[in-house]
Amino acid sequence: MNAQGSSRTVLFDVGGVLVDSHPDPAAIARMFGDESRGLTTLVDQAMWTHRADYDAGLPDRVFWDRIAGDCGQPEPSRELLKELVALDSSRMANANEHTLTLVRLLRHQGVRVGILSNAPYPIAKAIRRSKWGSLFDFFAFSCDYGICKPARGIYRDVLQRLGVPVTDVAFIDDRRDNVRAAELLGVKGILWTGADEAEARLKDFGFLF
């Protein structure tokens, strides 16, 4: 069912909600040529130190060079950079089937479904091109805004783009601060703990019957 005409809209986060996999620091350390525990730990720390900037639109080369630099590694070659970006983006190929079942149920009942997620350009591109991405009517990624959740600006712009009453919008995220930021603007927030619980909350809100 095409839900474009529906006022009811449910927005989903990606990481931890639609996609369960996380960046693998051990795999990245191996690509740097050293799979020791020490380098793996440094990679993990560096990735999360700079991830917010990457999600806000930092170029691929700058992001991965920062990680390499923090880990005492040389600047990634063009070939290695391409492989690192591909590895990170490949995590978007498969989504959680329980979550997708909920998405399909919403669509079946005429609810518009969208994505509101912190994501760098390659991840956003991979999601839009994925098979499961075709289930969604609306996309909003932090890289296109230059700011990340829970900054209010991204929520305000998304609500303006949706063009529906804020009371007709629900947002599902696995981070409490992201959910709270949406709630402060009048959106119905749902802290993700699983598809069954989210479905129950959506029924409580009147988005599902």
Side-chain angles (χ1 to χ4, degrees):
M1 176 182 293
N2 188 326
Q4 291 289 347
S6 175
S7 176
R8 291 170 295 150
T9 303
V10 178
L11 301 173
F12 288 79
D13 178 42
V14 174
V17 178
L18 281 160
V19 174
D20 296 326
S21 63
H22 298 282
D24 184 354
I28 294 166
R30 284 195 298 271
M31 294 172 74
F32 282 146
D34 178 358
E35 52 187 314
S36 66
R37 179 177 298 180
L39 182 59
T40 297
T41 299
L42 287 175
V43 167
D44 190 38
Q45 293 172 345
M47 285 199 69
W48 295 114
T49 295
H50 302 293
R51 192 76 192 194
D53 289 339
Y54 193 34
D55 287 343
L58 192 73
D60 300 336
R61 174 161 292 284
V62 178
F63 172 66
W64 289 106
D65 185 46
R66 285 184 182 181
I67 293 174
D70 286 1
C71 297
Q73 300 295 309
E75 180 180 357
S77 65
R78 181 178 299 180
E79 180 180 354
L80 178 56
L81 176 63
K82 185 177 179 180
E83 292 173 354
L84 289 166
V85 171
L87 175 67
D88 195 31
S89 301
S90 67
R91 299 182 295 108
M92 299 301 109
N94 299 305
N96 184 301
E97 282 301 323
H98 295 292
T99 311
L100 293 184
T101 296
L102 176 59
V103 172
R104 293 186 181 99
L105 175 62
L106 286 161
R107 290 186 61 85
H108 181 71
Q109 295 196 17
V111 179
R112 180 164 58 167
V113 290
I115 287 175
L116 169 54
S117 182
N118 290 341
Y121 287 112
I123 294 290
K125 183 178 180 180
I127 292 170
R128 286 190 172 101
R129 290 185 173 184
S130 67
K131 183 176 180 180
W132 59 267
S134 64
L135 291 171
F136 292 87
D137 308 299
F138 179 92
F139 298 93
F141 296 108
S142 57
C143 58
D144 294 321
Y145 292 86
I147 54 174
C148 296
K149 299 176 301 180
R152 291 189 185 184
I154 191 169
Y155 297 93
R156 287 175 175 148
D157 192 80
V158 165
L159 290 171
Q160 184 176 14
R161 285 176 57 196
L162 288 172
V164 300
V166 67
T167 53
D168 286 350
V169 180
F171 174 58
I172 302 172
D173 198 297
D174 65 328
R175 289 187 53 174
R176 190 175 300 277
D177 54 345
N178 292 341
V179 173
R180 182 56 179 160
E183 290 175 334
L184 289 172
L185 292 176
V187 173
K188 292 178 171 62
I190 298 174
L191 181 64
W192 180 260
T193 56
D196 292 340
E197 293 81 0
E199 181 179 343
R201 292 296 307 281
L202 288 168
K203 287 179 178 178
D204 291 341
F205 288 147
F207 283 72
L208 286 173
F209 306 99

